[in-house]
Amino acid sequence: MTAKIRPAKGAPYARVLGVGGYRPTRVVPNEEILKHIDSSDEWIRSRSGIATRHWAGPEETVAEMSLAASGKAVANAGIAPEQIGAVVVSTVSHFKQTPSIATEIAHRLGTGNAAAFDISAACAGFGYGLTVAKGLVVEGSAEYVLVIGVERLSDLTDLTDRTTAFLFADGAGAVVVGPSEEPAIGPSVWGSEGDKADVISQTVPWDHYRDGEVEKFPALRQEGQTVFRWAVFEMAKVAQRALEAAGVTAEDLDVFIPHQANMRIIDSMVKTLKLPEHVTVARDVETTGNTSAASIPLAMERLLAAGQAKSGDTALVIGFGAGLVYAATVVTLP
């Protein structure tokens, strides 16, 4: 006799219920970067739009930043930590191979026995985590899911590399995803282009450093122009597909929150997508730098806190980066 498996009983839909962020206390202006590279403040601003960034101190670990951001997100969602059924952390800068940093965060936050795991999807990591969280809530495996994007990219920055020294920064952003009676997170348009994996990568594997094959600690490197062209032309197409999948148009949007990689990329995408003037565009990169998986929730929190976006607004979010990977969706802001 073949047993019949009972269907999962989850929520009809899922939504973002609360958001929180943490930026390290140390603010690093371009002038400090210029001590290590032959460049200028004007050049950095014109190429990236970045004026300052935040770098973490010794006590501002991946776990501590995540806990600070998560505490805000949970409080804003109006739930208790023990109601969280899963913790999903996107990061490339937790240097312990195992256990996942998510397990420590879940325990210290007081979630009880929540499922906990890390994902590695670079600057698209928040979008990947959001997609997983939505599935868990709708499928019924967790009523509430905590999604965290966190990075200490200053640990992976080569300050002598003129092409990347000014880009990367540290911080954490988190959201709580929970049940909804109406659609509030659209279909995800996500994917990868592994043939371009070398365009953004770590300089050498960890074992090369361990075995003494190289003396310099691994760092991040990228082919700037290739990344720029790919992001501007290909990611605008992905963003458009996300709008179509959600059944909305650019005119329906209130907010656009792209990965905060580079101001020129953001402005080019706005132009290519032909976003109306009423759409608020996140440009957090100017003072926060590129925080990879943390950039979208950090930008989302800042827009809401500043009153530039409000609860219930329709937002297009898109992340893209090393892999090359990408993820875009339309969400209703908490």
Side-chain angles (χ1 to χ4, degrees):
M1 179 179 178
T2 302
K4 292 184 178 181
I5 298 174
R6 181 181 297 169
K9 293 182 178 180
Y13 306 103
R15 70 184 306 118
V16 177
L17 298 172
V19 61
Y22 179 83
R23 291 173 174 80
T25 56
R26 181 186 174 194
V27 177
V28 179
N30 288 338
E31 286 73 19
E32 186 167 339
I33 305 297
L34 296 175
K35 296 176 182 177
H36 307 280
I37 58 173
D38 180 18
S39 188
S40 68
D41 176 66
E42 180 184 6
W43 187 87
I44 292 175
R45 288 174 186 257
S46 66
R47 294 296 292 259
S48 68
I50 299 173
T52 61
R53 74 283 292 145
H54 294 256
W55 283 356
E59 72 287 355
E60 292 170 313
T61 63
V62 167
E64 295 298 337
M65 291 191 294
S66 296
L67 286 164
S70 298
K72 295 178 184 178
V74 172
N76 289 333
I79 66 169
E82 55 267 27
Q83 291 178 267
I84 295 170
V87 177
V88 182
V89 178
S90 177
T91 185
V92 298
S93 47
H94 170 54
F95 294 156
K96 185 180 287 186
Q97 193 70 35
T98 191
S100 69
I101 195 63
T103 56
E104 178 183 342
I105 295 165
H107 169 68
R108 292 178 60 188
L109 196 62
T111 64
N113 296 321
F117 55 95
D118 297 351
I119 58 176
S120 177
C123 305
F126 176 74
Y128 274 47
L130 193 63
T131 302
V132 170
K134 173 188 173 183
L136 292 173
V137 170
V138 173
E139 190 270 341
S141 294
E143 185 176 11
Y144 299 99
V145 179
L146 177 64
V147 179
I148 303 167
V150 58
E151 302 293 1
R152 270 184 58 119
L153 295 183
S154 58
D155 292 335
L156 288 167
T157 298
D158 179 356
L159 289 177
T160 65
D161 183 350
R162 189 172 182 268
T163 63
T164 60
F166 57 90
L167 288 175
F168 301 120
D170 307 335
V175 299
V176 172
V177 176
S180 174
E181 292 300 318
E182 58 185 28
I185 301 176
S188 294
V189 176
W190 59 344
S192 65
E193 297 185 25
D195 59 318
K196 301 179 181 66
D198 291 338
V199 173
I200 308 173
S201 65
Q202 186 173 300
T203 49
V204 294
W206 298 113
D207 58 351
H208 287 199
Y209 181 74
R210 178 199 65 192
D211 297 340
E213 296 177 37
V214 293
E215 295 182 358
K216 200 169 186 177
F217 192 75
L220 296 175
R221 56 160 294 280
Q222 70 172 13
E223 297 174 16
Q225 287 302 312
T226 302
V227 173
F228 180 86
R229 289 193 295 270
W230 176 75
V232 169
F233 297 108
E234 297 304 321
M235 292 306 97
K237 297 176 186 176
V238 170
Q240 183 59 48
R241 285 166 54 199
L243 290 176
E244 294 169 359
V248 300
T249 68
E251 289 287 341
D252 298 319
L253 289 178
D254 300 301
V255 185
F256 178 45
I257 311 177
H259 165 48
Q260 302 294 294
N262 179 302
M263 194 74 80
R264 290 196 302 154
I265 292 175
I266 294 171
D267 291 340
S268 294
M269 289 184 71
V270 169
K271 184 177 180 179
T272 302
L273 289 169
K274 298 179 180 178
L275 296 184
E277 290 188 7
H278 75 262
V279 176
T280 297
V281 179
R283 292 188 171 88
D284 194 40
V285 66
E286 180 180 5
T287 56
T288 303
N290 181 343
T291 57
S292 189
S295 78
I296 290 175
L298 278 174
M300 182 184 295
E301 184 203 39
R302 175 160 282 177
L303 289 176
L304 289 167
Q308 294 175 275
K310 64 184 185 301
S311 175
D313 278 354
T314 300
L316 169 64
V317 300
I318 178 169
F320 44 85
L324 293 169
V325 293
Y326 55 86
T329 189
V330 175
V331 304
T332 300
L333 295 184

